Amino acid sequence: KKLLKIKLILKNSIYNQIQHLLELYPKTEWSGVAFYNKVKPDERGWTNTWELEAFFPLDLGSSAATEFSGEDELKFLDKVYKKHPKLEQCFNGLIHSHHGLSGGAFFSGTDTQQIEEAANKAVAALKN
């Protein structure tokens, strides 16, 4: 498989928030909802560069995992969009820590499986 390189831009304020959570919970994974913007999309709307506009932690998990339900996410999004209407224009995704793993940011096997499942569900929904 050919790997597609994706670039994620973090403002200093976002980077500092992530660092704060990693320092606050050094042995516990956390996860939440993230809001992304495309950076310089091409004529078809494709881009390999994204900017993390905002994120909101929803779950403080365990030393090995973190998760939250789609129902919790939907309830949360209603509140976020009322308070921050600008975020409705962003692409919605996930963010979570891999606190105990070295080597920088990457997609774990679990992450890849979730991405594939979500993509297949999205394609099926578009076909209906």
Side-chain angles (χ1 to χ4, degrees):
K1 292 181 181 179
K2 181 180 176 187
L3 295 177
L4 178 65
K5 291 188 179 187
I6 303 293
K7 180 178 179 182
L8 179 63
I9 298 170
L10 299 176
K11 298 175 190 165
N12 283 335
S13 60
I14 296 288
Y15 176 81
N16 290 337
Q17 290 172 351
I18 293 169
Q19 285 301 115
H20 175 72
L21 286 171
L22 293 173
E23 290 169 11
L24 197 59
Y25 305 108
K27 296 183 179 186
T28 306
E29 290 196 15
W30 52 265
S31 62
V33 179
F35 299 88
Y36 302 92
N37 284 315
K38 292 179 181 182
V39 176
K40 297 181 183 174
D42 66 16
E43 64 279 354
R44 295 176 294 155
W46 293 90
T47 186
N48 292 345
T49 305
W50 296 80
E51 182 172 16
L52 180 57
E53 182 69 29
F55 76 95
F56 299 91
L58 289 182
D59 181 69
L60 184 58
S62 69
S63 62
T66 176
E67 65 180 84
F68 54 88
S69 72
E71 188 175 295
D72 289 341
E73 181 179 355
L74 289 174
K75 287 179 191 174
F76 179 75
L77 287 175
D78 283 340
K79 293 175 187 175
V80 168
Y81 292 147
K82 285 178 184 163
K83 190 170 181 177
H84 306 281
K86 168 178 118 172
L87 294 179
E88 285 189 83
Q89 305 306 312
C90 294
F91 288 84
N92 179 293
L94 302 174
I95 184 170
H96 71 274
S97 65
H98 282 276
H99 68 282
L101 303 175
S102 60
F106 65 94
F107 291 122
S108 68
T110 302
D111 296 336
T112 302
Q113 180 182 354
Q114 183 180 18
I115 291 167
E116 289 174 359
E117 288 174 9
N120 289 333
K121 288 177 185 175
V123 169
L126 289 172
K127 289 181 178 178
N128 292 333

